[in-house]
Amino acid sequence: MNAANASKIWSYGRHYFTRNSGSGNNWAQGFYSHGPACRVSLLELIRLEVEACDQFCGFLLMQSMAGGTGAGLGAYLLEALRDEYPAACVMSYCIWPFETGEVVVQNYNVLLTLSHLHNHADGIIAVKNDALSSICKRSLAIEKPSFTDMNKVGAQSLASILLPAYWRPVHTGKGCSSATQLKSGSSTGWSGSGAGLSVRQLSDLVLNLCAHPGYRMLALHSTPQIHAETLDFTTLTWGSQLKHLKRMLTMRENVLEKDSSQNKESTSKSKNTQGHTAVGSRSVDRSVANLLVLRGWGSETVNVDMFNDLRMYPLWSVDPIKVAVHEASYGNLAMSAGLLSNSQVAILPASRVLSRAYAMYSSRAYIHHYAEHGLEYSVFDAAFASVEDILARYLAL
């Protein structure tokens, strides 16, 4: 907070809420204890911010999934916003914990958070700490990335999507054969007069990516991720950036994050404990819908037919690819691209969380800490069932 205020670019102002104690990594304490106690104060602060908006677009909550306050209180607040503002778009930007373990009960907390958010949020952008750390180490040459380094990477990726942009058609030229192009009449471009209109945040994200209520999970990618000192010696082309984005979108997780030890564990298993086939058994991960945002010189005309591929989408998906652009460059990058995808990328970490939570729950490990704050066994059972349903739907794509 102090760093933001000192920058003189943006500050928290007077509408912030603090308390002297957290939730001790206990999701139930955050949701059942702190949530009701803080509800009135939080909603009043939010009401003041909403009334001060020139144009209210909705809510984007930023929260962790591993702890008690960010996960438990965050889930409670999102449900409260859904009740108070039923017509508003409510999205969540969630930080997935390190799989090596941040807290011993993190799998419980992720399970409970994911099930609640999927029932109440319009979209869930899940960003993994392991992926942020991997980008810092492999692409930015930061040997021991701090949370500040990781937050910067995450913020830049999110900004690549949320900064102003306008719609452009999806061009399908000679670079994509008729066998792999989307069938005629679905989405070879923005049908109608939408081209040139500004992207409405956050409603257009929900409309184009999360229209189906059974698919709310979003993955965020951006490119280029290069060290500032090497930027002057790097030649950026749209072709290389789009190929890199497609690889991140379609290739399974253990290829993209081969440096992460937890993925060695995942590749040795073709199924999780509930019998679902793991993502690693597929050669191409599928998407319900994708939003590609291009910024910089040539973004209005660059060919994006490589994302217009039947193999990447289920047959029932309508208009699965949308493209937005802005001619202005992003920061000191002559050209950059962001991709927000409703895809199977989220399946592998969710399946591991489910199996590990089941292993703990079968022995009733740490359950008494949650019961002390009013969480019943039925809530855990419902959370397991909800996450299983989410996995099953995405695996069936």
Side-chain angles (χ1 to χ4, degrees):
M1 181 183 297
N2 292 333
N5 292 337
S7 69
K8 298 182 180 180
I9 299 175
W10 177 86
S11 67
Y12 281 89
R14 60 187 178 87
H15 295 153
Y16 55 87
F17 182 86
T18 60
R19 298 195 73 169
N20 293 328
S21 62
S23 302
N25 296 320
N26 189 323
W27 189 93
Q29 184 175 359
F31 190 90
Y32 291 104
S33 297
H34 291 315
C38 302
R39 179 186 178 106
V40 174
S41 299
L42 288 172
L43 291 179
E44 177 62 16
L45 290 176
I46 292 171
R47 181 188 64 81
L48 295 174
E49 291 289 346
V50 170
E51 292 178 351
C53 290
D54 294 328
Q55 181 180 3
F56 175 61
C57 299
F59 298 102
L60 177 63
L61 272 70
M62 297 186 179
Q63 61 184 113
S64 70
M65 300 187 77
T69 304
L73 179 58
Y76 182 92
L77 178 59
L78 188 140
E79 292 187 24
L81 291 175
R82 173 59 70 211
D83 292 338
E84 293 291 321
Y85 302 88
C89 292
V90 182
M91 298 186 68
S92 176
Y93 179 87
C94 297
I95 301 299
W96 204 283
F98 285 106
E99 298 211 19
T100 51
E102 295 181 17
V103 296
V104 67
V105 292
Q106 70 178 36
N107 295 306
Y108 282 161
N109 296 337
V110 172
L111 177 83
L112 293 164
T113 304
L114 182 58
S115 65
H116 278 73
L117 294 184
H118 203 271
N119 289 333
H120 298 279
D122 293 308
I124 306 168
I125 304 174
V127 179
K128 296 176 292 181
N129 271 337
D130 289 293
L132 297 176
S133 178
S134 178
I135 291 173
C136 290
K137 293 177 180 178
R138 297 167 56 188
S139 301
L140 304 181
I142 303 175
E143 184 178 353
K144 295 181 179 180
S146 65
F147 283 116
T148 299
D149 297 324
M150 295 164 59
N151 287 340
K152 184 177 181 180
V153 171
Q156 289 177 339
S157 297
L158 186 61
S160 71
I161 298 295
L162 295 182
L163 284 174
Y166 55 88
W167 297 112
R168 55 149 272 194
V170 180
H171 294 291
T172 54
K174 297 180 181 180
C176 186
S177 67
S178 58
T180 58
Q181 287 181 4
L182 290 173
K183 54 184 178 293
S184 176
S186 61
S187 179
T188 57
W190 182 268
S191 57
S193 59
L197 295 179
S198 296
V199 178
R200 298 170 300 175
Q201 308 291 5
L202 303 161
S203 58
D204 277 350
L205 302 186
V206 172
L207 175 65
N208 292 299
L209 296 176
C210 303
H212 194 298
Y215 300 90
R216 303 294 196 193
M217 302 297 297
L218 301 173
L220 179 61
H221 310 283
S222 68
T223 185
Q225 299 284 359
I226 55 179
H227 197 281
E229 295 180 357
T230 64
L231 187 59
D232 292 338
F233 308 98
T234 303
T235 301
L236 298 177
T237 65
W238 283 119
S240 62
Q241 292 196 66
L242 294 179
K243 287 180 181 178
H244 184 60
L245 277 181
K246 185 177 180 182
R247 181 174 180 270
M248 288 193 289
L249 175 64
T250 59
M251 299 297 288
R252 55 192 177 217
E253 179 184 3
N254 58 312
V255 174
L256 295 177
E257 297 178 13
K258 57 187 177 183
D259 290 343
S260 301
S261 60
Q262 69 274 9
N263 288 323
K264 296 179 181 179
E265 170 191 350
S266 68
T267 55
S268 66
K269 300 180 181 179
S270 62
K271 295 186 178 181
N272 64 19
T273 56
Q274 274 60 62
H276 298 307
T277 304
V279 180
S281 65
R282 303 185 67 108
S283 58
V284 176
D285 290 339
R286 286 189 170 182
S287 303
V288 175
N290 291 313
L291 170 62
L292 184 63
V293 183
L294 310 176
R295 302 184 184 278
W297 179 84
S299 58
E300 300 93 338
T301 58
V302 63
N303 191 311
V304 296
D305 281 348
M306 66 178 68
F307 291 90
N308 206 9
D309 190 332
L310 274 173
R311 295 170 297 177
M312 295 170 57
Y313 309 101
L315 295 177
W316 50 261
S317 184
V318 178
D319 283 344
I321 176 68
K322 289 289 190 291
V323 182
V325 298
H326 201 289
E327 66 278 3
S329 59
Y330 177 36
N332 56 354
L333 300 171
M335 54 183 66
S336 60
L339 179 68
L340 192 59
S341 174
N342 188 336
S343 67
Q344 292 178 324
V345 171
I347 293 179
L348 194 57
S351 65
R352 291 195 290 266
V353 164
L354 187 65
S355 62
R356 292 167 183 171
Y358 258 124
M360 295 176 60
Y361 187 69
S362 61
S363 61
R364 297 297 188 264
Y366 305 103
I367 294 297
H368 62 285
H369 294 297
Y370 292 78
E372 290 176 355
H373 296 278
L375 193 149
E376 300 177 352
Y377 288 127
S378 59
V379 176
F380 267 111
D381 295 335
F384 280 115
S386 176
V387 175
E388 283 181 343
D389 289 342
I390 296 170
L391 290 171
R393 282 191 291 268
Y394 276 95
L395 286 167
L397 289 176

